[in-house]
Amino acid sequence: MTHLDGNAAGGELGEIFAVDVTAATGQCLGCGRVAPVATALAYGQAPGLVLRCPGCDEVLIRVVTAPGRTWLDVRGLAYLQFVE
């Protein structure tokens, strides 16, 4: 399965958030790695978008959209930090 970098998630995450989430810093719950979301590995072949940690391959973020609704799962992150 091939992947892109986390910047590929910018469009879908931009539909949910009013800020650029790819510039936010997050901490992986799996390995503790702290890095910008843009450095995550993005997979779009699943039903939805999956972002994985490049350090340990744990799922960080899942986004699934359907007509009139969106599901966002960020349980793979300890936090997301947005800097102005």
Side-chain angles (χ1 to χ4, degrees):
M1 185 180 278
T2 61
H3 67 273
L4 303 170
D5 69 25
N7 286 305
E12 286 195 52
L13 293 174
E15 296 286 325
I16 300 168
F17 295 98
V19 297
D20 180 9
V21 177
T22 61
T25 300
Q27 181 179 26
C28 175
L29 281 174
C31 67
R33 184 176 191 268
V34 176
V37 172
T39 65
L41 308 177
Y43 296 89
Q45 297 88 354
L49 176 69
V50 175
L51 294 177
R52 291 184 171 273
C53 176
C56 69
D57 205 39
E58 286 291 319
V59 174
L60 301 174
I61 300 172
R62 293 179 190 98
V63 182
V64 177
T65 57
R69 64 187 71 196
T70 300
W71 292 267
L72 175 64
D73 175 2
V74 293
R75 74 180 105 179
L77 292 171
Y79 65 82
L80 264 177
Q81 178 182 359
F82 297 90
V83 178
E84 296 178 20

